[in-house]
mmCIF file of all heavy atoms in Angstrom:
data_model
loop_
_atom_site.group_PDB
_atom_site.id
_atom_site.type_symbol
_atom_site.label_atom_id
_atom_site.label_comp_id
_atom_site.label_asym_id
_atom_site.label_seq_id
_atom_site.Cartn_x
_atom_site.Cartn_y
_atom_site.Cartn_z
ATOM 1 N N HIS A 22 48.024 17.101 -32.641
ATOM 2 C CA HIS A 22 47.261 17.562 -33.839
ATOM 3 C C HIS A 22 48.086 17.255 -35.068
ATOM 4 O O HIS A 22 47.533 16.731 -36.071
ATOM 5 C CB HIS A 22 46.903 19.018 -33.811
ATOM 6 C CG HIS A 22 45.911 19.338 -32.749
ATOM 7 N ND1 HIS A 22 44.684 18.714 -32.687
ATOM 8 C CD2 HIS A 22 45.937 20.218 -31.736
ATOM 9 C CE1 HIS A 22 44.016 19.233 -31.705
ATOM 10 N NE2 HIS A 22 44.684 20.103 -31.069
ATOM 11 N N THR A 23 49.395 17.521 -35.057
ATOM 12 C CA THR A 23 50.235 17.274 -36.171
ATOM 13 C C THR A 23 50.318 15.800 -36.438
ATOM 14 O O THR A 23 50.218 15.336 -37.637
ATOM 15 C CB THR A 23 51.649 17.942 -35.977
ATOM 16 O OG1 THR A 23 51.513 19.285 -35.736
ATOM 17 C CG2 THR A 23 52.510 17.671 -37.178
ATOM 18 N N TYR A 24 50.495 14.984 -35.406
ATOM 19 C CA TYR A 24 50.632 13.545 -35.536
ATOM 20 C C TYR A 24 49.324 13.021 -36.167
ATOM 21 O O TYR A 24 49.374 12.149 -37.042
ATOM 22 C CB TYR A 24 50.828 12.857 -34.205
ATOM 23 C CG TYR A 24 50.823 11.355 -34.282
ATOM 24 C CD1 TYR A 24 51.859 10.668 -34.808
ATOM 25 C CD2 TYR A 24 49.714 10.682 -33.816
ATOM 26 C CE1 TYR A 24 51.784 9.296 -34.929
ATOM 27 C CE2 TYR A 24 49.582 9.292 -33.955
ATOM 28 C CZ TYR A 24 50.676 8.627 -34.471
ATOM 29 O OH TYR A 24 50.618 7.265 -34.573
ATOM 30 N N ASP A 25 48.178 13.487 -35.744
ATOM 31 C CA ASP A 25 46.838 13.040 -36.277
ATOM 32 C C ASP A 25 46.797 13.342 -37.736
ATOM 33 O O ASP A 25 46.350 12.548 -38.537
ATOM 34 C CB ASP A 25 45.696 13.702 -35.561
ATOM 35 C CG ASP A 25 45.459 13.064 -34.152
ATOM 36 O OD1 ASP A 25 46.073 12.010 -33.872
ATOM 37 O OD2 ASP A 25 44.735 13.693 -33.362
ATOM 38 N N PHE A 26 47.264 14.543 -38.178
ATOM 39 C CA PHE A 26 47.206 14.877 -39.556
ATOM 40 C C PHE A 26 48.058 13.911 -40.370
ATOM 41 O O PHE A 26 47.636 13.396 -41.428
ATOM 42 C CB PHE A 26 47.796 16.366 -39.750
ATOM 43 C CG PHE A 26 47.919 16.760 -41.179
ATOM 44 C CD1 PHE A 26 46.817 17.234 -41.842
ATOM 45 C CD2 PHE A 26 49.103 16.623 -41.903
ATOM 46 C CE1 PHE A 26 46.881 17.603 -43.215
ATOM 47 C CE2 PHE A 26 49.246 16.959 -43.197
ATOM 48 C CZ PHE A 26 48.097 17.480 -43.863
ATOM 49 N N TRP A 27 49.302 13.625 -39.922
ATOM 50 C CA TRP A 27 50.176 12.718 -40.668
ATOM 51 C C TRP A 27 49.535 11.309 -40.717
ATOM 52 O O TRP A 27 49.549 10.681 -41.735
ATOM 53 C CB TRP A 27 51.560 12.612 -40.020
ATOM 54 C CG TRP A 27 52.331 13.882 -40.053
ATOM 55 C CD1 TRP A 27 52.884 14.519 -39.016
ATOM 56 C CD2 TRP A 27 52.594 14.766 -41.180
ATOM 57 N NE1 TRP A 27 53.457 15.685 -39.358
ATOM 58 C CE2 TRP A 27 53.276 15.896 -40.720
ATOM 59 C CE3 TRP A 27 52.224 14.651 -42.522
ATOM 60 C CZ2 TRP A 27 53.670 16.907 -41.510
ATOM 61 C CZ3 TRP A 27 52.656 15.774 -43.337
ATOM 62 C CH2 TRP A 27 53.383 16.854 -42.839
ATOM 63 N N LYS A 28 48.972 10.852 -39.579
ATOM 64 C CA LYS A 28 48.394 9.546 -39.557
ATOM 65 C C LYS A 28 47.196 9.397 -40.473
ATOM 66 O O LYS A 28 47.011 8.392 -41.132
ATOM 67 C CB LYS A 28 47.980 9.247 -38.107
ATOM 68 C CG LYS A 28 47.366 7.836 -37.914
ATOM 69 C CD LYS A 28 46.952 7.603 -36.488
ATOM 70 C CE LYS A 28 46.230 6.293 -36.371
ATOM 71 N NZ LYS A 28 45.778 5.979 -35.033
ATOM 72 N N HIS A 29 46.344 10.393 -40.506
ATOM 73 C CA HIS A 29 45.065 10.345 -41.258
ATOM 74 C C HIS A 29 45.222 10.695 -42.722
ATOM 75 O O HIS A 29 44.428 10.297 -43.500
ATOM 76 C CB HIS A 29 44.019 11.241 -40.593
ATOM 77 C CG HIS A 29 43.495 10.755 -39.341
ATOM 78 N ND1 HIS A 29 43.538 11.548 -38.193
ATOM 79 C CD2 HIS A 29 43.052 9.568 -38.945
ATOM 80 C CE1 HIS A 29 43.060 10.848 -37.205
ATOM 81 N NE2 HIS A 29 42.737 9.655 -37.613
ATOM 82 N N HIS A 30 46.253 11.520 -43.029
ATOM 83 C CA HIS A 30 46.264 12.041 -44.435
ATOM 84 C C HIS A 30 47.557 11.843 -45.191
ATOM 85 O O HIS A 30 47.560 12.047 -46.408
ATOM 86 C CB HIS A 30 45.906 13.552 -44.391
ATOM 87 C CG HIS A 30 44.576 13.816 -43.886
ATOM 88 N ND1 HIS A 30 43.426 13.399 -44.450
ATOM 89 C CD2 HIS A 30 44.227 14.476 -42.748
ATOM 90 C CE1 HIS A 30 42.413 13.760 -43.738
ATOM 91 N NE2 HIS A 30 42.833 14.382 -42.663
ATOM 92 N N MET A 31 48.659 11.529 -44.575
ATOM 93 C CA MET A 31 49.925 11.408 -45.299
ATOM 94 C C MET A 31 50.261 9.963 -45.632
ATOM 95 O O MET A 31 50.178 9.052 -44.755
ATOM 96 C CB MET A 31 51.070 12.023 -44.469
ATOM 97 C CG MET A 31 50.960 13.520 -44.321
ATOM 98 S SD MET A 31 50.974 14.471 -45.838
ATOM 99 C CE MET A 31 52.620 14.112 -46.434
ATOM 100 N N ASP A 32 50.613 9.716 -46.878
ATOM 101 C CA ASP A 32 51.070 8.442 -47.260
ATOM 102 C C ASP A 32 52.162 8.583 -48.415
ATOM 103 O O ASP A 32 51.784 8.515 -49.603
ATOM 104 C CB ASP A 32 49.920 7.549 -47.765
ATOM 105 C CG ASP A 32 50.350 6.106 -48.074
ATOM 106 O OD1 ASP A 32 51.260 5.595 -47.349
ATOM 107 O OD2 ASP A 32 49.780 5.509 -48.978
ATOM 108 N N TYR A 33 53.343 8.928 -47.972
ATOM 109 C CA TYR A 33 54.418 9.184 -48.894
ATOM 110 C C TYR A 33 55.666 8.466 -48.420
ATOM 111 O O TYR A 33 56.070 8.569 -47.248
ATOM 112 C CB TYR A 33 54.705 10.629 -49.022
ATOM 113 C CG TYR A 33 55.836 10.953 -49.981
ATOM 114 C CD1 TYR A 33 55.588 11.033 -51.347
ATOM 115 C CD2 TYR A 33 57.146 11.206 -49.510
ATOM 116 C CE1 TYR A 33 56.627 11.295 -52.182
ATOM 117 C CE2 TYR A 33 58.165 11.433 -50.415
ATOM 118 C CZ TYR A 33 57.914 11.524 -51.800
ATOM 119 O OH TYR A 33 58.875 11.764 -52.672
ATOM 120 N N PRO A 34 56.273 7.677 -49.299
ATOM 121 C CA PRO A 34 55.792 7.258 -50.583
ATOM 122 C C PRO A 34 54.551 6.398 -50.403
ATOM 123 O O PRO A 34 54.313 5.813 -49.352
ATOM 124 C CB PRO A 34 56.917 6.469 -51.180
ATOM 125 C CG PRO A 34 57.734 6.015 -50.017
ATOM 126 C CD PRO A 34 57.567 6.987 -48.947
ATOM 127 N N MET A 35 53.785 6.343 -51.435
ATOM 128 C CA MET A 35 52.472 5.644 -51.389
ATOM 129 C C MET A 35 52.658 4.184 -51.064
ATOM 130 O O MET A 35 53.551 3.495 -51.656
ATOM 131 C CB MET A 35 51.732 5.796 -52.773
ATOM 132 C CG MET A 35 50.396 5.238 -52.745
ATOM 133 S SD MET A 35 49.568 5.571 -54.275
ATOM 134 C CE MET A 35 48.031 4.654 -54.071
ATOM 135 N N THR A 36 51.884 3.703 -50.117
ATOM 136 C CA THR A 36 51.906 2.291 -49.743
ATOM 137 C C THR A 36 51.487 1.409 -50.907
ATOM 138 O O THR A 36 50.547 1.650 -51.559
ATOM 139 C CB THR A 36 50.943 2.085 -48.570
ATOM 140 O OG1 THR A 36 51.242 2.926 -47.465
ATOM 141 C CG2 THR A 36 50.904 0.597 -48.129
ATOM 142 N N LYS A 37 52.340 0.404 -51.153
ATOM 143 C CA LYS A 37 52.052 -0.538 -52.289
ATOM 144 C C LYS A 37 51.099 -1.603 -51.763
ATOM 145 O O LYS A 37 51.368 -2.235 -50.679
ATOM 146 C CB LYS A 37 53.360 -1.215 -52.720
ATOM 147 C CG LYS A 37 54.374 -0.202 -53.199
ATOM 148 C CD LYS A 37 54.083 0.345 -54.571
ATOM 149 C CE LYS A 37 55.217 1.140 -55.081
ATOM 150 N NZ LYS A 37 54.883 2.359 -55.667
ATOM 151 N N VAL A 38 49.997 -1.796 -52.482
ATOM 152 C CA VAL A 38 48.991 -2.833 -52.134
ATOM 153 C C VAL A 38 48.707 -3.654 -53.378
ATOM 154 O O VAL A 38 48.397 -3.055 -54.392
ATOM 155 C CB VAL A 38 47.678 -2.210 -51.616
ATOM 156 C CG1 VAL A 38 46.646 -3.257 -51.355
ATOM 157 C CG2 VAL A 38 47.974 -1.372 -50.359
ATOM 158 N N SER A 39 48.958 -4.957 -53.304
ATOM 159 C CA SER A 39 48.694 -5.799 -54.455
ATOM 160 C C SER A 39 47.216 -6.138 -54.549
ATOM 161 O O SER A 39 46.481 -6.131 -53.561
ATOM 162 C CB SER A 39 49.540 -7.102 -54.340
ATOM 163 O OG SER A 39 49.174 -7.818 -53.215
ATOM 164 N N GLY A 40 46.745 -6.309 -55.778
ATOM 165 C CA GLY A 40 45.322 -6.557 -55.998
ATOM 166 C C GLY A 40 44.627 -5.324 -56.537
ATOM 167 O O GLY A 40 45.261 -4.410 -57.163
ATOM 168 N N SER A 41 43.311 -5.200 -56.378
ATOM 169 C CA SER A 41 42.580 -4.095 -56.916
ATOM 170 C C SER A 41 42.907 -2.760 -56.229
ATOM 171 O O SER A 41 43.320 -2.784 -55.051
ATOM 172 C CB SER A 41 41.054 -4.340 -56.901
ATOM 173 O OG SER A 41 40.544 -3.974 -55.671
ATOM 174 N N SER A 42 42.698 -1.672 -56.921
ATOM 175 C CA SER A 42 43.016 -0.366 -56.341
ATOM 176 C C SER A 42 42.079 -0.068 -55.113
ATOM 177 O O SER A 42 42.493 0.642 -54.215
ATOM 178 C CB SER A 42 42.822 0.714 -57.375
ATOM 179 O OG SER A 42 41.471 0.793 -57.852
ATOM 180 N N ASN A 43 40.923 -0.693 -55.055
ATOM 181 C CA ASN A 43 40.030 -0.447 -53.949
ATOM 182 C C ASN A 43 40.578 -1.087 -52.627
ATOM 183 O O ASN A 43 40.166 -0.746 -51.533
ATOM 184 C CB ASN A 43 38.664 -0.933 -54.195
ATOM 185 C CG ASN A 43 37.915 -0.038 -55.191
ATOM 186 O OD1 ASN A 43 38.193 1.162 -55.197
ATOM 187 N ND2 ASN A 43 37.056 -0.535 -56.007
ATOM 188 N N LEU A 44 41.482 -2.046 -52.776
ATOM 189 C CA LEU A 44 42.052 -2.685 -51.571
ATOM 190 C C LEU A 44 42.999 -1.716 -50.816
ATOM 191 O O LEU A 44 43.224 -1.823 -49.635
ATOM 192 C CB LEU A 44 42.856 -3.960 -51.959
ATOM 193 C CG LEU A 44 41.989 -5.163 -52.396
ATOM 194 C CD1 LEU A 44 42.886 -6.282 -52.846
ATOM 195 C CD2 LEU A 44 41.022 -5.570 -51.255
ATOM 196 N N TYR A 45 43.510 -0.700 -51.544
ATOM 197 C CA TYR A 45 44.446 0.261 -50.938
ATOM 198 C C TYR A 45 43.887 0.816 -49.644
ATOM 199 O O TYR A 45 44.477 0.728 -48.556
ATOM 200 C CB TYR A 45 44.777 1.391 -51.943
ATOM 201 C CG TYR A 45 45.495 2.581 -51.295
ATOM 202 C CD1 TYR A 45 46.847 2.492 -51.094
ATOM 203 C CD2 TYR A 45 44.789 3.675 -50.820
ATOM 204 C CE1 TYR A 45 47.535 3.579 -50.549
ATOM 205 C CE2 TYR A 45 45.447 4.761 -50.260
ATOM 206 C CZ TYR A 45 46.799 4.653 -50.103
ATOM 207 O OH TYR A 45 47.488 5.705 -49.485
ATOM 208 N N ARG A 46 42.713 1.397 -49.676
ATOM 209 C CA ARG A 46 42.109 2.063 -48.538
ATOM 210 C C ARG A 46 41.804 1.014 -47.434
ATOM 211 O O ARG A 46 41.934 1.254 -46.247
ATOM 212 C CB ARG A 46 40.927 2.810 -48.901
ATOM 213 C CG ARG A 46 40.104 3.441 -47.749
ATOM 214 C CD ARG A 46 40.934 4.409 -46.947
ATOM 215 N NE ARG A 46 39.998 4.956 -45.904
ATOM 216 C CZ ARG A 46 40.370 5.472 -44.794
ATOM 217 N NH1 ARG A 46 41.631 5.607 -44.495
ATOM 218 N NH2 ARG A 46 39.510 5.935 -43.953
ATOM 219 N N ASN A 47 41.289 -0.145 -47.813
ATOM 220 C CA ASN A 47 41.005 -1.151 -46.824
ATOM 221 C C ASN A 47 42.206 -1.548 -46.019
ATOM 222 O O ASN A 47 42.199 -1.647 -44.809
ATOM 223 C CB ASN A 47 40.402 -2.407 -47.497
ATOM 224 C CG ASN A 47 39.107 -2.075 -48.280
ATOM 225 O OD1 ASN A 47 38.454 -1.076 -48.062
ATOM 226 N ND2 ASN A 47 38.702 -2.906 -49.219
ATOM 227 N N VAL A 48 43.349 -1.680 -46.745
ATOM 228 C CA VAL A 48 44.531 -2.123 -46.072
ATOM 229 C C VAL A 48 45.114 -1.049 -45.205
ATOM 230 O O VAL A 48 45.438 -1.254 -44.000
ATOM 231 C CB VAL A 48 45.583 -2.554 -47.141
ATOM 232 C CG1 VAL A 48 46.983 -2.690 -46.519
ATOM 233 C CG2 VAL A 48 45.162 -3.803 -47.804
ATOM 234 N N ILE A 49 45.171 0.215 -45.692
ATOM 235 C CA ILE A 49 45.695 1.297 -44.886
ATOM 236 C C ILE A 49 44.867 1.646 -43.768
ATOM 237 O O ILE A 49 45.378 2.073 -42.704
ATOM 238 C CB ILE A 49 46.089 2.515 -45.819
ATOM 239 C CG1 ILE A 49 47.150 3.360 -45.171
ATOM 240 C CG2 ILE A 49 44.867 3.318 -46.102
ATOM 241 C CD1 ILE A 49 47.802 4.295 -46.153
ATOM 242 N N THR A 50 43.553 1.493 -43.853
ATOM 243 C CA THR A 50 42.662 1.746 -42.725
ATOM 244 C C THR A 50 42.973 0.833 -41.592
ATOM 245 O O THR A 50 43.026 1.184 -40.488
ATOM 246 C CB THR A 50 41.204 1.595 -43.155
ATOM 247 O OG1 THR A 50 40.883 2.576 -44.122
ATOM 248 C CG2 THR A 50 40.237 1.797 -41.976
ATOM 249 N N GLN A 51 43.164 -0.445 -41.906
ATOM 250 C CA GLN A 51 43.497 -1.441 -40.929
ATOM 251 C C GLN A 51 44.877 -1.230 -40.293
ATOM 252 O O GLN A 51 45.074 -1.320 -39.104
ATOM 253 C CB GLN A 51 43.424 -2.879 -41.478
ATOM 254 C CG GLN A 51 41.974 -3.283 -41.739
ATOM 255 C CD GLN A 51 41.862 -4.645 -42.426
ATOM 256 O OE1 GLN A 51 42.876 -5.283 -42.676
ATOM 257 N NE2 GLN A 51 40.657 -5.097 -42.659
ATOM 258 N N GLN A 52 45.871 -0.905 -41.122
ATOM 259 C CA GLN A 52 47.248 -0.625 -40.629
ATOM 260 C C GLN A 52 47.230 0.529 -39.631
ATOM 261 O O GLN A 52 47.917 0.443 -38.656
ATOM 262 C CB GLN A 52 48.145 -0.293 -41.806
ATOM 263 C CG GLN A 52 48.551 -1.523 -42.632
ATOM 264 C CD GLN A 52 49.486 -1.075 -43.784
ATOM 265 O OE1 GLN A 52 49.624 0.117 -44.088
ATOM 266 N NE2 GLN A 52 50.043 -2.052 -44.425
ATOM 267 N N ARG A 53 46.541 1.603 -39.988
ATOM 268 C CA ARG A 53 46.580 2.796 -39.130
ATOM 269 C C ARG A 53 45.451 2.896 -38.163
ATOM 270 O O ARG A 53 45.338 3.911 -37.457
ATOM 271 C CB ARG A 53 46.630 4.024 -40.072
ATOM 272 C CG ARG A 53 47.892 4.010 -40.928
ATOM 273 C CD ARG A 53 48.027 5.359 -41.665
ATOM 274 N NE ARG A 53 49.087 5.296 -42.609
ATOM 275 C CZ ARG A 53 49.483 6.340 -43.232
ATOM 276 N NH1 ARG A 53 48.941 7.507 -43.058
ATOM 277 N NH2 ARG A 53 50.457 6.189 -44.135
ATOM 278 N N GLU A 54 44.509 1.931 -38.143
ATOM 279 C CA GLU A 54 43.376 1.941 -37.306
ATOM 280 C C GLU A 54 42.621 3.284 -37.373
ATOM 281 O O GLU A 54 42.385 3.942 -36.433
ATOM 282 C CB GLU A 54 43.803 1.662 -35.837
ATOM 283 C CG GLU A 54 44.459 0.304 -35.695
ATOM 284 C CD GLU A 54 44.897 -0.015 -34.302
ATOM 285 O OE1 GLU A 54 44.851 0.886 -33.411
ATOM 286 O OE2 GLU A 54 45.351 -1.080 -34.055
ATOM 287 N N LEU A 55 42.212 3.593 -38.646
ATOM 288 C CA LEU A 55 41.569 4.857 -38.881
ATOM 289 C C LEU A 55 40.033 4.662 -38.845
ATOM 290 O O LEU A 55 39.315 4.701 -39.836
ATOM 291 C CB LEU A 55 41.947 5.401 -40.285
ATOM 292 C CG LEU A 55 43.458 5.709 -40.429
ATOM 293 C CD1 LEU A 55 43.701 6.228 -41.857
ATOM 294 C CD2 LEU A 55 43.885 6.721 -39.411
ATOM 295 N N PHE A 56 39.583 4.500 -37.621
ATOM 296 C CA PHE A 56 38.156 4.392 -37.440
ATOM 297 C C PHE A 56 37.667 5.567 -36.600
ATOM 298 O O PHE A 56 38.429 6.170 -35.918
ATOM 299 C CB PHE A 56 37.806 3.097 -36.670
ATOM 300 C CG PHE A 56 38.513 1.895 -37.259
ATOM 301 C CD1 PHE A 56 39.457 1.209 -36.532
ATOM 302 C CD2 PHE A 56 38.303 1.556 -38.592
ATOM 303 C CE1 PHE A 56 40.127 0.124 -37.088
ATOM 304 C CE2 PHE A 56 38.961 0.468 -39.138
ATOM 305 C CZ PHE A 56 39.848 -0.267 -38.410
ATOM 306 N N LYS A 57 36.419 5.930 -36.705
ATOM 307 C CA LYS A 57 35.855 7.105 -35.999
ATOM 308 C C LYS A 57 34.728 6.629 -35.059
ATOM 309 O O LYS A 57 33.727 6.155 -35.578
ATOM 310 C CB LYS A 57 35.380 8.176 -36.955
ATOM 311 C CG LYS A 57 35.008 9.459 -36.337
ATOM 312 C CD LYS A 57 34.704 10.480 -37.356
ATOM 313 C CE LYS A 57 34.441 11.775 -36.741
ATOM 314 N NZ LYS A 57 34.272 12.842 -37.714
ATOM 315 N N ASN A 58 34.929 6.744 -33.803
ATOM 316 C CA ASN A 58 33.973 6.294 -32.812
ATOM 317 C C ASN A 58 33.456 4.893 -33.042
ATOM 318 O O ASN A 58 32.319 4.581 -32.940
ATOM 319 C CB ASN A 58 32.764 7.280 -32.817
ATOM 320 C CG ASN A 58 33.170 8.708 -32.526
ATOM 321 O OD1 ASN A 58 34.113 8.947 -31.732
ATOM 322 N ND2 ASN A 58 32.474 9.645 -33.102
#
Side-chain angles (χ1 to χ4, degrees):
H22 290 303
T23 302
Y24 174 77
D25 287 346
F26 176 84
W27 298 126
K28 179 180 175 183
H29 290 126
H30 299 295
M31 294 298 295
D32 187 33
Y33 181 82
M35 185 175 174
T36 302
K37 303 283 188 226
V38 176
S39 60
S41 87
S42 63
N43 287 328
L44 290 177
Y45 168 82
R46 173 61 177 160
N47 300 340
V48 167
I49 204 163
T50 297
Q51 290 177 356
Q52 284 178 348
R53 297 188 188 189
E54 299 178 355
L55 298 180
F56 313 117
K57 189 172 185 176
N58 301 327

